[in-house]
């Protein structure tokens, strides 16, 4: 049965909508993180399953402050990216984010003239297939919910983030909207996701006292079973057996931005010309992803890695890889990785590789940098999750 992902929600104190957020100095706060696709990108848009992992070390925080509006005019929301220096911000013009305020008001019933300033501090590099746009949208949604004391269930958060993603990228599967709030690997298909019980590194979100009582909603984007408890220790949720999958995923930034929207449109044009190409790709990716999910459950890291490499070949054949990306995949495999592939939208972005143990991960990192990677991150799983290797 599909279960929802964990989501921050905030209690509704039943204050009148017109009075919310007017307290002097009140600030709303929200957090999200990066994600990486293990298998199934692009095919997921056409109904295939996909596997993704959260990347908690690449986080986004958003702070929202209500401003006094002029006597006349429409609602206004502004976004800015926090800079490296104290108080340094860069205005952010993003159509996907601008739709959040009217959609948020419609869902929550906040009325009256509203003007809000949102500052986003994003550690996720943009254009790398790591979910930066969805993470920024999720963090902003949660900051608005906190600012206006509105409780949002998981379905409402998903709907708001997904609406923003569709503006940003065109066609969007919804996996980024969910994975940027997940705490363990996700098996995603057709708008529903199941969190898989694999130990991952914990992260402590810096929350104010007002957030201490935040709890998971009982409503998922598609179904409505109760959430499993949120984890911060890297272990399996209480009462759930953990998959015996031990490995380390190495993410490498190629240094070249990709364009998810351009990649989606490229595939759409190919599939318009050949329905058989679409069918073959979707079926091939589906088989690999389902098999990889079984490998994950049974701890078969070598088999999982081999399916990653096969998935890369499918994406390469469709023109979604580049010479630089292929070079990084080859470098990871030459260093002894169990498998490697492009991760995310393609046409640039990141490569993800699987290492069986820390020394192999270190060798993979070195090889990737020698091949031109500009930065790398290691996401340990299973027995490596709480180690600093």
């Amino acid at each position: 049965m599909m279960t929802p992902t964990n989501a921050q929600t905030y209690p509704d104190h039943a204050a009148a909508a017109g009075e919310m957020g007017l307290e002097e100095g009140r600030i709303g706060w929200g957090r999200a993180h990066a994600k990486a696709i293990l298998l199934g990108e692009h095919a997921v848009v056409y109904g295939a399953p996909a596997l993704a992992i959260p990347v908690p070390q690449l986080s986004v925080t958003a702070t929202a402050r209500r401003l006094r509006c002029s006597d006349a005019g429409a609602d206004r929301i502004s976004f800015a990216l926090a800079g490296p220096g104290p108080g340094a911000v860069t205005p952010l013009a993003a159509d996907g984010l601008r739709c959040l305020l009217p959609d948020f008001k419609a869902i929550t019933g906040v009325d009256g003239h509203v003007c809000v300033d949102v500052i986003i501090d994003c550690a996720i590099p943009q254009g790398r297939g790591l979910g930066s746009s969805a993470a920024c949208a999720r963090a902003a949604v949660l900051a608005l919910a906190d600012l206006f004391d509105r409780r949002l269930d998981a379905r409402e958060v998903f709907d708001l983030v997904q609406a923003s993603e569709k503006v940003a990228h065109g066609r969007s599967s919804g996996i980024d909207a969910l994975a940027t709030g997940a705490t363990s690997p996700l098996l995603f298909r057709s708008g529903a996701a199941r969190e898989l019980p694999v130990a991952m590194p914990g992260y402590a979100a810096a929350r104010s006292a007002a957030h201490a009582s935040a709890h998971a909603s009982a409503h998922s984007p598609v179904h409505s079973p109760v959430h499993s408890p949120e984890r911060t220790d890297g272990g399996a949720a209480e009462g759930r057996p953990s998959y015996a999958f031990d490995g380390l995923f190495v993410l490498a930034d190629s240094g070249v931005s990709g364009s998810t929207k351009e990649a989606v449109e490229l595939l759409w044009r190919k599939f318009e010309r050949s329905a058989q190409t679409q069918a073959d790709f979707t079926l091939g990716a589906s088989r690999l992803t389902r098999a990889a999910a079984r490998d994950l459950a049974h701890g078969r890291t070598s088999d999982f890695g081999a399916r990653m490499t096969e998935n890369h070949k499918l994406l390469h054949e469709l023109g979604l890889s580049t010479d630089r990306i292929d070079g990084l995949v080859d470098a990871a495999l030459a260093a002894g990785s169990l498998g490697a592939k492009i991760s995310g939208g393609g046409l640039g972005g990141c490569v993800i590789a699987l290492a069986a143990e820390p020394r192999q991960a270190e060798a993979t990192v070195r090889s990737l940098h020698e091949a031109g990677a500009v930065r790398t991150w290691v996401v340990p799983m299973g027995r490596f999750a709480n180690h600093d290797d």
Side-chain angles (χ1 to χ4, degrees), residues 171-231:
R171 194 166 186 178
S172 177
S173 69
I175 191 169
D176 285 15
L178 288 174
T180 51
T183 58
S184 61
L186 287 183
L187 178 61
F188 177 93
R189 184 175 183 181
S190 301
R194 177 161 60 94
E195 288 200 357
L196 305 177
V198 182
M200 292 198 67
Y203 55 86
R207 298 180 183 176
S208 67
H211 301 151
S213 63
H215 60 281
S217 165
H219 301 285
S220 90
V222 175
H223 306 284
S224 55
V226 177
H227 278 291
S228 55
E230 183 177 6
R231 305 195 309 277

Side-chain angles (χ1 to χ4, degrees), residues 76-231:
R76 181 178 65 82
I77 186 166
S78 62
F79 293 90
L81 285 174
V89 295
T90 302
L92 179 63
D95 291 339
L97 291 176
R98 279 197 291 267
C99 74
L100 289 177
L101 183 58
D103 290 350
F104 175 83
K105 288 181 68 177
I107 285 178
T108 60
V110 171
D111 59 13
H113 197 189
V114 174
C115 296
V116 180
D117 185 36
V118 181
I119 305 296
I120 295 175
D121 189 354
C122 182
I124 307 172
Q126 296 183 3
R128 300 302 195 268
L130 298 176
S132 61
S133 62
C136 288
R138 174 176 278 271
V141 164
L142 296 178
L144 290 173
D146 191 30
L147 177 65
F148 288 97
D149 265 341
R150 286 305 204 198
R151 173 180 173 175
L152 292 175
D153 64 34
R155 175 62 194 236
E156 290 167 332
V157 173
F158 173 82
D159 286 346
L160 287 165
V161 177
Q162 181 65 353
S164 174
E165 282 290 275
K166 287 181 177 178
V167 173
H169 300 302
R171 194 166 186 178
S172 177
S173 69
I175 191 169
D176 285 15
L178 288 174
T180 51
T183 58
S184 61
L186 287 183
L187 178 61
F188 177 93
R189 184 175 183 181
S190 301
R194 177 161 60 94
E195 288 200 357
L196 305 177
V198 182
M200 292 198 67
Y203 55 86
R207 298 180 183 176
S208 67
H211 301 151
S213 63
H215 60 281
S217 165
H219 301 285
S220 90
V222 175
H223 306 284
S224 55
V226 177
H227 278 291
S228 55
E230 183 177 6
R231 305 195 309 277

